[in-house]
Amino acid sequence: MKQTFPLGRVAGIRIGAHWSALIMVLLFGWVLGDQVLPSMVAHVPATARWTAAIVGALALAAALLAHELAHALTARHYGVPVRSITLWALGGVSELGDEPPSARSDFWIAVAGPAASFGAAALFGGVAAAVHAAGWPAVAVAELGWLAAMNVLLGLFNLLPGAPLDGGRVLRAALWWRCGNRARAAQSAAEAGRILGMVLAAAGVAEVLLWREAGGLWLILIGVFVANAASAEGAAERASTALAGRRVRDVMKPDPEIGATWMTVGEFFQHVALRSDQDVFPVVDAEMSLAGVVGVGGLGRIPRDRWPRTTLGQTMARVPPAYVAAPDDPAAPLLRHPPLAADLLAVVIEDRRIVGIVTRARLVRIVERERLRAPAPARDGSALAADWNPRRSEARVSRHE
Ligand SMILES: [Zn+2]
């Protein structure tokens, strides 16, 4: 998820907020100022009430960040690299660079978040009691009490047993510990997440239809999100299982057609792209070294009258080092990053020569074949091509009415 507002670094981890996090803060502020505080405390001046509401909403966002930081720092403790933490409309996402190395670390990384939320709840509750005893205004006590209650809910909600929620990770760790097979444990946790998501969404629908509560809309949103994220995780897990033990050489398209920086888009379509079955092409410079990548889709969006004047060098995308592989590299890690130019996962180079490319479409096909070959096929494999998401991240949700 893209960070719209960078918020700095904590212990070297990039912290930021997606633009949709603003919606979350505004909504919490509105619920607190318009409904919660007026119902708990009578006759509060509007300025005091709305100040308390804004401070409360920001404090809740900070508590959410603490929840994610607890996951991130525990992950790092077990040697799992953490790239970033991003707050968004439905909570926070910690992007981990790798999977937890053992069932034990999986368990502790997962429970650290809810533990932090319960800790925050105790803290807010304690301060509320102290402030109440010291005779502070009732609105401050009410706000702190609400923060304590919300953090308890946050901790409990995240412990629901289905991926991608923390409870799903705990379930995965437990199954992994019991049966010793991480991939199968992850499949079961993803399946539980899909069911959990559907149950949450159904409860939301019931809330809206039977009790006419608009809060049910949130539950529907979260349910759909959980179900989708769980499906994507299951598919990514299957893909990674199918590729386990394979080398880049086994999955690449050898001797791909290539473009050159000096070719115009018109020439490239006429002489290369339209005669090829590839959708993406490496582009080389005058020394025949890799300079970039172009996709048929991207080139097709350039207006036709500019084709004779635009060169591939002007329109290609750069290829970051993570997208360059050697034939003997393992294939599974290629799934960890999103494709370039819509389809390219790696350019394969040997002796400074381009010997192959690995595309997303090709890997999806391989994974699908593998599934059909397996003795006990996964039941929900049909959604693979649509749902398959090569980005490995840990998504966390946190909202409830
Ligand atoms: Zn969490």
Side-chain angles (χ1 to χ4, degrees):
M1 188 170 307
K2 252 210 159 104
Q3 297 191 346
T4 320
F5 316 104
L7 300 174
R9 281 172 186 271
V10 175
I13 299 164
R14 220 152 34 82
I15 311 280
H18 184 245
W19 62 265
S20 63
L22 262 181
I23 297 175
M24 172 179 72
V25 171
L26 289 175
L27 198 78
F28 277 128
W30 179 76
V31 167
L32 189 55
D34 187 72
Q35 297 173 8
V36 177
L37 291 179
S39 73
M40 290 171 81
V41 193
H43 313 301
V44 187
T47 35
R49 184 154 53 92
W50 285 108
T51 308
I54 291 164
V55 171
L58 290 175
L60 191 66
L64 201 62
L65 200 58
H67 174 114
E68 291 304 321
L69 263 177
H71 286 306
L73 295 177
T74 315
R76 178 173 291 181
H77 171 78
Y78 283 105
V80 179
V82 183
R83 296 205 190 104
S84 63
I85 292 176
T86 308
L87 292 181
W88 70 297
L90 295 182
V93 180
S94 304
E95 206 188 329
L96 305 183
D98 210 343
E99 294 293 343
S102 61
R104 172 192 288 267
S105 56
D106 201 16
F107 174 81
W108 286 114
I109 293 169
V111 294
S117 292
F118 293 134
L123 188 73
F124 284 124
V127 176
V131 159
H132 177 65
W136 281 38
V139 64
V141 181
E143 181 199 350
L144 286 159
W146 176 80
L147 279 168
M150 287 305 286
N151 274 286
V152 169
L153 279 178
L154 198 72
L156 288 178
F157 179 80
N158 273 291
L159 283 175
L160 290 177
L165 299 178
D166 298 333
R169 309 277 180 239
V170 172
L171 178 67
R172 177 176 74 186
L175 295 173
W176 183 2
W177 179 74
R178 235 190 65 182
C179 66
N181 185 334
R182 193 203 159 280
R184 204 183 304 159
Q187 284 297 329
S188 305
E191 183 62 18
R194 245 163 41 86
I195 295 167
L196 175 67
M198 288 189 284
V199 170
L200 289 175
V205 170
E207 206 180 328
V208 171
L209 293 183
L210 300 180
W211 289 280
R212 313 227 164 255
E213 286 278 346
L217 293 174
W218 259 112
L219 212 49
I220 295 172
L221 205 66
I222 287 173
V224 169
F225 167 77
V226 167
N228 277 335
S231 290
E233 256 189 53
E237 201 58 53
R238 275 193 298 285
S240 157
T241 309
L243 293 181
R246 293 199 192 214
R247 303 270 146 200
V248 166
R249 165 187 321 284
D250 310 327
V251 298
M252 72 184 188
K253 174 191 163 61
D255 304 317
E257 269 106 353
I258 57 178
T261 46
W262 61 86
M263 272 183 162
T264 67
V265 173
E267 285 168 350
F268 177 70
F269 268 127
Q270 194 189 342
H271 298 297
V272 183
L274 295 180
R275 297 161 181 236
S276 165
D277 61 352
Q278 284 168 228
D279 288 325
V280 284
F281 300 84
V283 179
V284 294
D285 59 18
E287 274 99 57
M288 292 303 282
S289 9
L290 177 65
V293 55
V294 289
V296 170
L299 292 178
R301 279 193 291 276
I302 297 174
R304 241 164 216 274
D305 56 319
R306 285 176 44 205
W307 285 9
R309 288 176 281 128
T310 311
T311 64
L312 296 191
Q314 293 167 321
T315 181
M316 69 190 182
R318 299 266 152 215
V319 180
Y323 290 81
V324 174
D328 286 326
D329 287 349
L334 298 182
L335 298 167
R336 295 223 177 108
H337 45 225
L340 290 178
D343 199 31
L344 183 85
L345 290 176
V347 177
V348 188
I349 294 186
E350 190 174 35
D351 299 330
R352 280 186 283 172
R353 208 168 59 81
I354 296 173
V355 294
I357 55 172
V358 181
T359 62
R360 180 185 186 278
R362 205 173 163 83
L363 287 194
V364 166
R365 206 156 52 228
I366 290 172
V367 169
E368 185 67 11
R369 294 280 149 79
E370 197 67 23
R371 184 183 72 80
L372 294 173
R373 198 172 290 140
R379 271 170 298 152
D380 52 349
S382 55
L384 184 68
D387 284 334
W388 187 61
N389 174 3
R391 208 186 317 240
R392 290 303 200 75
S393 67
E394 205 189 2
R396 311 190 173 283
V397 180
S398 65
R399 171 70 187 143
H400 18 253
E401 200 75 44

